[in-house]
Amino acid sequence: MESSASLSRPGFRGLSGTALKAIALALMVLDHIHYFFEYTGLIPEWFSMLGRLAAPLFLFCAVEGFAHTHNRRKYFFRIWIIGAAMGSLLFAMAYFGVLVRPDGFYPLNGILLNFVVLMPIWQGMDWLRQRRIGRGLAAILIPILYPFALAAVVNLIPALGYPIPALGYPAAYISMSILPSWTSITDGGVIFILQGILLYALRSRRGWQMAAYAAVSLAAYVGLVGYQLTAQGLPLSALLTEAYQWMEIFAIPLMLCYNGQRGRGFQKLFYVFYPAHVYVLYALSWLLMVFAPQLAA
């Protein structure tokens, strides 16, 4: 496994992991201000355009963090606990209408669950490099095949897919929280998972790593989305005004500025700040809707 110093360039100060996280946090806040207050018509679209850079920066930092942490289990369980808690609340909102805003809106934020899926895969990739083949293949294949196994279980026991008193929809709850399925993640999903696998596999070859990330992003969010737009009779110009997820590729120059150093300070800020700011902004958007209904479109 490469050390962080092995990826730094002599004489190049660059950006530490902490600096990249700070930039990502600021961009995420802009994106979520647009997300929660878009209904007012007062928040410019470019808030969300800039926000497209946040998720790839967090993914990149997670790749480096997982590779260099001294305690991968602690790193994993910290993210799993927060992700499962947020997933549980999302489940309650989606299936039982708990704390849903008057206009029916509720936050779909759940990016941490992607990392819960990715980290066992990353560990499996390292085990394969160490020629621990059986363990490596199991760690990679279980998270990937899990959604299909869960679907097969529900097919055999249909009751798991329907309401059960005091439990709700067990299969849905499990796949959205404590045992996340990449097919059920509302914030990220299959493309994000694929990008995470490529970033980890190529982390010692920065140029190839960034090229692979750009290729997947452009293929999915320009190629596939562009095809869907034309199939629906919509103009490709929508890629610049509405379907602009592809703008995440502009995070690549920032990733290339990474100097291989962890940096100091704010190491645990994200774990607290991410859920806190989501629900604070959501609550504020709710209060504004109630006390200033004239702002609602």
Side-chain angles (χ1 to χ4, degrees):
M1 183 182 299
E2 306 86 349
S3 67
S4 59
S6 68
L7 295 176
S8 61
R9 286 168 274 175
F12 177 69
R13 297 184 63 181
L15 297 170
S16 67
T18 298
L20 285 176
K21 287 180 182 178
I23 293 170
L25 283 173
L27 294 171
M28 178 179 66
V29 171
L30 286 179
D31 183 33
H32 289 165
I33 288 174
H34 180 269
Y35 178 60
F36 288 110
F37 297 95
E38 181 182 13
Y39 73 89
T40 67
L42 300 175
I43 310 300
E45 197 74 30
W46 60 264
F47 271 41
S48 191
M49 290 177 177
L50 288 175
R52 297 307 91 200
L53 281 62
L57 289 177
F58 282 129
L59 178 59
F60 180 82
C61 290
V63 165
E64 293 298 319
F66 184 81
H68 297 132
T69 185
H70 297 296
N71 191 332
R72 289 186 171 181
R73 289 185 180 179
K74 183 177 180 180
Y75 190 76
F76 171 82
F77 280 110
R78 183 186 296 129
I79 289 177
W80 175 76
I81 289 171
I82 300 172
M86 294 184 72
S88 297
L89 182 53
L90 173 59
F91 172 80
M93 291 176 174
Y95 284 84
F96 299 105
V98 175
L99 298 176
V100 173
R101 211 168 64 184
D103 62 347
F105 173 90
Y106 54 89
L108 299 176
N109 308 84
I111 197 170
L112 294 181
L113 293 179
N114 293 279
F115 301 133
V116 174
V117 174
L118 278 168
M119 287 183 189
I121 296 174
W122 292 341
Q123 182 62 63
M125 293 165 69
D126 283 341
W127 279 333
L128 288 182
R129 292 190 188 100
Q130 299 165 10
R131 299 183 184 278
R132 302 168 75 175
I133 306 301
R135 181 174 293 189
L137 288 175
I140 292 171
L141 292 177
I142 288 175
I144 293 175
L145 298 179
Y146 164 64
F148 305 104
L150 182 61
V153 170
V154 173
N155 189 55
L156 291 173
I157 311 175
L160 294 176
Y162 293 94
I164 295 178
L167 293 177
Y169 299 77
Y173 174 71
I174 290 171
S175 66
M176 291 173 67
S177 57
I178 56 176
L179 289 176
S181 161
W182 52 265
T183 58
S184 300
I185 296 174
T186 57
D187 189 5
V190 61
I191 301 302
F192 193 84
I193 298 294
L194 177 58
Q195 290 170 330
I197 292 172
L198 291 173
L199 286 179
Y200 197 80
L202 299 170
R203 57 175 301 273
S204 62
R205 299 184 178 184
R206 190 71 75 221
W208 284 106
Q209 184 190 42
M210 296 297 100
Y213 183 88
V216 171
S217 183
L218 291 174
Y221 300 124
V222 174
L224 180 58
V225 173
Y227 171 77
Q228 292 173 338
L229 288 173
T230 56
Q232 296 171 21
L234 300 174
L236 287 177
S237 59
L239 291 171
L240 298 173
T241 58
E242 298 177 49
Y244 45 75
Q245 181 64 39
W246 63 271
M247 291 184 182
E248 66 181 27
I249 64 171
F250 294 120
I252 291 176
L254 291 170
M255 296 179 193
L256 290 173
C257 288
Y258 176 59
N259 60 15
Q261 304 300 314
R262 179 180 179 181
R264 296 182 179 180
F266 308 111
Q267 297 301 328
K268 297 180 180 179
L269 174 64
F270 175 72
Y271 303 115
V272 176
F273 185 84
Y274 177 67
H277 94 284
V278 165
Y279 298 124
V280 167
L281 288 176
Y282 180 52
L284 290 175
S285 74
W286 191 332
L287 290 173
L288 187 64
M289 179 172 287
V290 171
F291 291 105
Q294 68 275 13
L295 294 177

